[in-house]
Amino acid sequence: MEKFQFTYQPTTIGHSNVDKDDLVNHPKHYTSHPSGIECIDVTQHYNFCIGNAIKYLWRNGLKKDSEVTEKTSQIQDLKKALWYIQREISNLENNIYE
């Protein structure tokens, strides 16, 4: 049985050797921010729910899906972000972190 090898390499902000077309390690919808910062470089500093909300806001309008329109994709990403925000609010209200 083969072991899975995780090959993610952190982004190298400002360096040209980062392959922005790598769909596994650097998907375009997470590396297209005008600042040059990759989404994971920001979200890794937050808890799961907040990080995911940021992720869906970050990629809003950037992920192309041939099965849905761009507007539908944007709405889905915003709803997903809202779902994670609502979940985080619920966690805080129910003292999940104490």
Side-chain angles (χ1 to χ4, degrees):
M1 180 186 218
E2 283 186 51
K3 281 181 131 179
F4 174 75
Q5 287 270 242
F6 183 69
T7 60
Y8 175 76
Q9 307 240 342
T11 60
T12 319
I13 299 170
H15 292 256
S16 60
N17 62 347
V18 173
D19 182 2
K20 298 263 185 184
D21 294 326
D22 182 340
L23 297 177
V24 173
N25 295 297
H26 304 285
K28 193 170 188 168
H29 52 281
Y30 294 137
T31 59
S32 298
H33 194 271
S35 69
I37 297 171
E38 189 168 336
C39 184
I40 196 168
D41 293 327
V42 174
T43 60
Q44 69 185 353
H45 299 285
Y46 294 90
N47 71 28
F48 183 79
C49 288
I50 297 299
N52 273 306
I54 293 168
K55 173 184 76 171
Y56 283 112
L57 293 170
W58 189 284
R59 78 178 205 183
N60 184 267
L62 297 176
K63 188 170 184 184
K64 304 300 179 212
D65 186 341
S66 60
E67 295 182 22
V68 297
T69 66
E70 185 175 343
K71 182 178 178 181
T72 299
S73 178
Q74 287 179 290
I75 291 169
Q76 288 173 346
D77 281 344
L78 291 171
K79 286 182 177 181
K80 289 174 187 178
L82 183 56
W83 187 90
Y84 279 105
I85 291 168
Q86 289 171 330
R87 174 119 182 180
E88 181 64 12
I89 290 168
S90 178
N91 288 346
L92 291 168
E93 289 174 342
N94 293 305
N95 301 311
I96 299 297
Y97 302 118
E98 292 181 359

Short mmCIF file of all heavy atoms in Angstrom, two decimals, residues 23 27-32 55-77 80:
data_model
loop_
_atom_site.label_atom_id
_atom_site.label_comp_id
_atom_site.label_asym_id
_atom_site.label_seq_id
_atom_site.Cartn_x
_atom_site.Cartn_y
_atom_site.Cartn_z
N LEU A 23 -2.97 23.24 -9.84
CA LEU A 23 -4.32 23.12 -9.29
C LEU A 23 -4.36 22.47 -7.91
O LEU A 23 -5.37 22.59 -7.21
CB LEU A 23 -5.22 22.34 -10.25
CG LEU A 23 -5.44 23.01 -11.60
CD1 LEU A 23 -6.29 22.11 -12.50
CD2 LEU A 23 -6.08 24.37 -11.44
N PRO A 27 -3.90 26.65 -6.47
CA PRO A 27 -4.99 26.88 -7.42
C PRO A 27 -5.15 28.36 -7.75
O PRO A 27 -4.99 29.22 -6.88
CB PRO A 27 -6.23 26.33 -6.72
CG PRO A 27 -5.83 26.03 -5.33
CD PRO A 27 -4.34 26.07 -5.23
N LYS A 28 -5.43 28.64 -8.99
CA LYS A 28 -5.49 30.02 -9.48
C LYS A 28 -6.49 30.87 -8.69
O LYS A 28 -6.24 32.05 -8.44
CB LYS A 28 -5.85 30.02 -10.97
CG LYS A 28 -5.64 31.35 -11.63
CD LYS A 28 -5.78 31.22 -13.13
CE LYS A 28 -5.36 32.53 -13.77
NZ LYS A 28 -5.21 32.38 -15.21
N HIS A 29 -7.62 30.27 -8.26
CA HIS A 29 -8.61 31.05 -7.54
C HIS A 29 -8.17 31.40 -6.11
O HIS A 29 -8.86 32.13 -5.42
CB HIS A 29 -9.99 30.37 -7.55
CG HIS A 29 -10.00 28.96 -7.09
ND1 HIS A 29 -9.60 27.92 -7.91
CD2 HIS A 29 -10.35 28.40 -5.91
CE1 HIS A 29 -9.72 26.79 -7.25
NE2 HIS A 29 -10.17 27.04 -6.04
N TYR A 30 -7.03 30.88 -5.66
CA TYR A 30 -6.47 31.28 -4.38
C TYR A 30 -5.18 32.07 -4.53
O TYR A 30 -4.60 32.52 -3.56
CB TYR A 30 -6.20 30.06 -3.50
CG TYR A 30 -7.44 29.33 -3.07
CD1 TYR A 30 -7.49 27.94 -3.08
CD2 TYR A 30 -8.58 30.01 -2.65
CE1 TYR A 30 -8.63 27.26 -2.69
CE2 TYR A 30 -9.72 29.33 -2.27
CZ TYR A 30 -9.73 27.95 -2.29
OH TYR A 30 -10.86 27.28 -1.91
N THR A 31 -4.69 32.22 -5.75
CA THR A 31 -3.43 32.92 -5.97
C THR A 31 -3.60 34.15 -6.86
O THR A 31 -2.62 34.72 -7.31
CB THR A 31 -2.39 31.98 -6.63
OG1 THR A 31 -2.91 31.50 -7.87
CG2 THR A 31 -2.04 30.81 -5.73
N SER A 32 -4.82 34.56 -7.10
CA SER A 32 -5.09 35.67 -8.03
C SER A 32 -5.25 37.03 -7.35
O SER A 32 -5.57 38.01 -8.00
CB SER A 32 -6.36 35.37 -8.83
OG SER A 32 -6.18 34.21 -9.60
N LYS A 55 -11.65 32.18 3.13
CA LYS A 55 -11.35 31.46 1.89
C LYS A 55 -12.45 31.66 0.85
O LYS A 55 -12.17 31.96 -0.32
CB LYS A 55 -11.17 29.97 2.18
CG LYS A 55 -11.02 29.10 0.95
CD LYS A 55 -10.95 27.63 1.30
CE LYS A 55 -12.33 27.11 1.65
NZ LYS A 55 -12.37 25.65 1.81
N TYR A 56 -13.71 31.51 1.27
CA TYR A 56 -14.80 31.65 0.31
C TYR A 56 -14.97 33.11 -0.14
O TYR A 56 -15.33 33.36 -1.29
CB TYR A 56 -16.10 31.09 0.89
CG TYR A 56 -16.11 29.59 0.84
CD1 TYR A 56 -16.06 28.84 2.01
CD2 TYR A 56 -16.14 28.91 -0.37
CE1 TYR A 56 -16.05 27.46 1.97
CE2 TYR A 56 -16.12 27.53 -0.42
CZ TYR A 56 -16.07 26.80 0.74
OH TYR A 56 -16.06 25.43 0.69
N LEU A 57 -14.71 34.06 0.72
CA LEU A 57 -14.75 35.46 0.31
C LEU A 57 -13.60 35.77 -0.64
O LEU A 57 -13.76 36.49 -1.62
CB LEU A 57 -14.70 36.38 1.53
CG LEU A 57 -15.92 36.33 2.44
CD1 LEU A 57 -15.65 37.09 3.73
CD2 LEU A 57 -17.15 36.87 1.73
N TRP A 58 -12.43 35.21 -0.34
CA TRP A 58 -11.22 35.43 -1.14
C TRP A 58 -11.42 34.98 -2.58
O TRP A 58 -11.06 35.67 -3.52
CB TRP A 58 -10.08 34.64 -0.51
CG TRP A 58 -8.71 34.91 -1.06
CD1 TRP A 58 -8.18 34.47 -2.23
CD2 TRP A 58 -7.70 35.66 -0.42
NE1 TRP A 58 -6.89 34.89 -2.36
CE2 TRP A 58 -6.57 35.62 -1.25
CE3 TRP A 58 -7.62 36.34 0.79
CZ2 TRP A 58 -5.37 36.25 -0.92
CZ3 TRP A 58 -6.44 36.96 1.11
CH2 TRP A 58 -5.33 36.93 0.27
N ARG A 59 -12.00 33.79 -2.75
CA ARG A 59 -12.12 33.21 -4.09
C ARG A 59 -13.40 33.64 -4.80
O ARG A 59 -13.61 33.28 -5.95
CB ARG A 59 -12.04 31.70 -4.03
CG ARG A 59 -13.31 31.02 -3.56
CD ARG A 59 -13.14 29.54 -3.59
NE ARG A 59 -14.42 28.88 -3.73
CZ ARG A 59 -14.57 27.58 -3.73
NH1 ARG A 59 -13.53 26.80 -3.60
NH2 ARG A 59 -15.76 27.05 -3.86
N ASN A 60 -14.25 34.41 -4.14
CA ASN A 60 -15.52 34.82 -4.72
C ASN A 60 -15.31 35.46 -6.09
O ASN A 60 -14.58 36.42 -6.23
CB ASN A 60 -16.24 35.79 -3.78
CG ASN A 60 -17.60 36.17 -4.29
OD1 ASN A 60 -17.74 37.18 -4.96
ND2 ASN A 60 -18.58 35.36 -4.00
N GLY A 61 -15.94 34.88 -7.08
CA GLY A 61 -15.85 35.40 -8.44
C GLY A 61 -14.61 34.97 -9.20
O GLY A 61 -14.45 35.33 -10.36
N LEU A 62 -13.73 34.18 -8.57
CA LEU A 62 -12.50 33.78 -9.24
C LEU A 62 -12.52 32.33 -9.72
O LEU A 62 -11.82 31.98 -10.65
CB LEU A 62 -11.30 33.95 -8.29
CG LEU A 62 -11.01 35.38 -7.86
CD1 LEU A 62 -9.86 35.40 -6.86
CD2 LEU A 62 -10.68 36.24 -9.06
N LYS A 63 -13.32 31.49 -9.07
CA LYS A 63 -13.34 30.07 -9.46
C LYS A 63 -14.30 29.89 -10.62
O LYS A 63 -15.47 30.24 -10.54
CB LYS A 63 -13.76 29.19 -8.28
CG LYS A 63 -13.62 27.73 -8.59
CD LYS A 63 -13.80 26.87 -7.37
CE LYS A 63 -13.54 25.42 -7.75
NZ LYS A 63 -13.78 24.54 -6.63
N LYS A 64 -13.79 29.33 -11.68
CA LYS A 64 -14.60 29.10 -12.88
C LYS A 64 -15.12 27.67 -12.86
O LYS A 64 -14.36 26.72 -12.68
CB LYS A 64 -13.78 29.34 -14.15
CG LYS A 64 -13.15 30.72 -14.22
CD LYS A 64 -14.18 31.83 -14.18
CE LYS A 64 -13.50 33.17 -14.23
NZ LYS A 64 -14.17 34.21 -13.53
N ASP A 65 -16.42 27.53 -13.02
CA ASP A 65 -17.06 26.22 -13.04
C ASP A 65 -17.97 26.17 -14.25
O ASP A 65 -18.89 26.98 -14.39
CB ASP A 65 -17.87 26.02 -11.76
CG ASP A 65 -18.46 24.63 -11.62
OD1 ASP A 65 -18.56 23.91 -12.63
OD2 ASP A 65 -18.82 24.26 -10.50
N SER A 66 -17.70 25.25 -15.13
CA SER A 66 -18.46 25.18 -16.39
C SER A 66 -19.92 24.80 -16.19
O SER A 66 -20.74 24.98 -17.08
CB SER A 66 -17.79 24.21 -17.35
OG SER A 66 -17.76 22.91 -16.79
N GLU A 67 -20.27 24.27 -15.01
CA GLU A 67 -21.63 23.82 -14.77
C GLU A 67 -22.55 24.91 -14.23
O GLU A 67 -23.76 24.75 -14.22
CB GLU A 67 -21.62 22.62 -13.82
CG GLU A 67 -20.93 21.41 -14.44
CD GLU A 67 -20.97 20.20 -13.52
OE1 GLU A 67 -21.83 20.14 -12.63
OE2 GLU A 67 -20.13 19.31 -13.71
N VAL A 68 -21.98 26.01 -13.73
CA VAL A 68 -22.80 27.09 -13.18
C VAL A 68 -22.33 28.43 -13.74
O VAL A 68 -21.19 28.58 -14.15
CB VAL A 68 -22.76 27.13 -11.63
CG1 VAL A 68 -23.34 25.86 -11.03
CG2 VAL A 68 -21.35 27.36 -11.12
N THR A 69 -23.23 29.41 -13.72
CA THR A 69 -22.86 30.74 -14.18
C THR A 69 -21.94 31.41 -13.17
O THR A 69 -21.87 31.00 -12.00
CB THR A 69 -24.10 31.62 -14.38
OG1 THR A 69 -24.70 31.87 -13.10
CG2 THR A 69 -25.10 30.98 -15.33
N GLU A 70 -21.25 32.45 -13.60
CA GLU A 70 -20.36 33.18 -12.69
C GLU A 70 -21.15 33.78 -11.53
O GLU A 70 -20.71 33.72 -10.39
CB GLU A 70 -19.62 34.28 -13.45
CG GLU A 70 -18.60 35.00 -12.60
CD GLU A 70 -17.78 36.00 -13.38
OE1 GLU A 70 -17.76 35.94 -14.62
OE2 GLU A 70 -17.15 36.86 -12.73
N LYS A 71 -22.33 34.31 -11.82
CA LYS A 71 -23.16 34.90 -10.77
C LYS A 71 -23.58 33.84 -9.76
O LYS A 71 -23.51 34.06 -8.55
CB LYS A 71 -24.39 35.56 -11.40
CG LYS A 71 -25.29 36.24 -10.39
CD LYS A 71 -26.46 36.91 -11.09
CE LYS A 71 -27.39 37.56 -10.10
NZ LYS A 71 -28.53 38.21 -10.77
N THR A 72 -23.98 32.66 -10.24
CA THR A 72 -24.37 31.57 -9.34
C THR A 72 -23.20 31.14 -8.48
O THR A 72 -23.34 30.91 -7.28
CB THR A 72 -24.91 30.38 -10.15
OG1 THR A 72 -26.06 30.80 -10.88
CG2 THR A 72 -25.28 29.21 -9.26
N SER A 73 -22.02 31.06 -9.07
CA SER A 73 -20.81 30.69 -8.34
C SER A 73 -20.51 31.71 -7.24
O SER A 73 -20.16 31.34 -6.12
CB SER A 73 -19.63 30.57 -9.30
OG SER A 73 -18.45 30.27 -8.60
N GLN A 74 -20.64 32.99 -7.56
CA GLN A 74 -20.41 34.04 -6.57
C GLN A 74 -21.39 33.93 -5.42
O GLN A 74 -21.01 34.05 -4.26
CB GLN A 74 -20.52 35.42 -7.22
CG GLN A 74 -19.36 35.76 -8.11
CD GLN A 74 -19.54 37.12 -8.74
OE1 GLN A 74 -20.39 37.30 -9.61
NE2 GLN A 74 -18.75 38.07 -8.30
N ILE A 75 -22.65 33.72 -5.74
CA ILE A 75 -23.68 33.59 -4.70
C ILE A 75 -23.39 32.38 -3.82
O ILE A 75 -23.50 32.46 -2.59
CB ILE A 75 -25.09 33.51 -5.33
CG1 ILE A 75 -25.45 34.86 -5.96
CG2 ILE A 75 -26.13 33.08 -4.31
CD1 ILE A 75 -26.68 34.83 -6.84
N GLN A 76 -23.00 31.26 -4.43
CA GLN A 76 -22.67 30.06 -3.65
C GLN A 76 -21.51 30.33 -2.69
O GLN A 76 -21.57 29.94 -1.52
CB GLN A 76 -22.31 28.90 -4.58
CG GLN A 76 -23.50 28.32 -5.30
CD GLN A 76 -23.08 27.28 -6.34
OE1 GLN A 76 -21.90 27.15 -6.71
NE2 GLN A 76 -24.05 26.53 -6.83
N ASP A 77 -20.46 30.98 -3.17
CA ASP A 77 -19.32 31.27 -2.31
C ASP A 77 -19.71 32.20 -1.16
O ASP A 77 -19.27 32.01 -0.03
CB ASP A 77 -18.17 31.89 -3.11
CG ASP A 77 -17.36 30.86 -3.87
OD1 ASP A 77 -17.48 29.65 -3.56
OD2 ASP A 77 -16.61 31.26 -4.78
N LYS A 80 -21.63 30.18 1.36
CA LYS A 80 -20.72 29.31 2.11
C LYS A 80 -19.98 30.12 3.18
O LYS A 80 -19.83 29.67 4.32
CB LYS A 80 -19.72 28.63 1.18
CG LYS A 80 -20.37 27.56 0.31
CD LYS A 80 -19.37 27.00 -0.70
CE LYS A 80 -20.02 26.06 -1.68
NZ LYS A 80 -19.06 25.56 -2.67
#
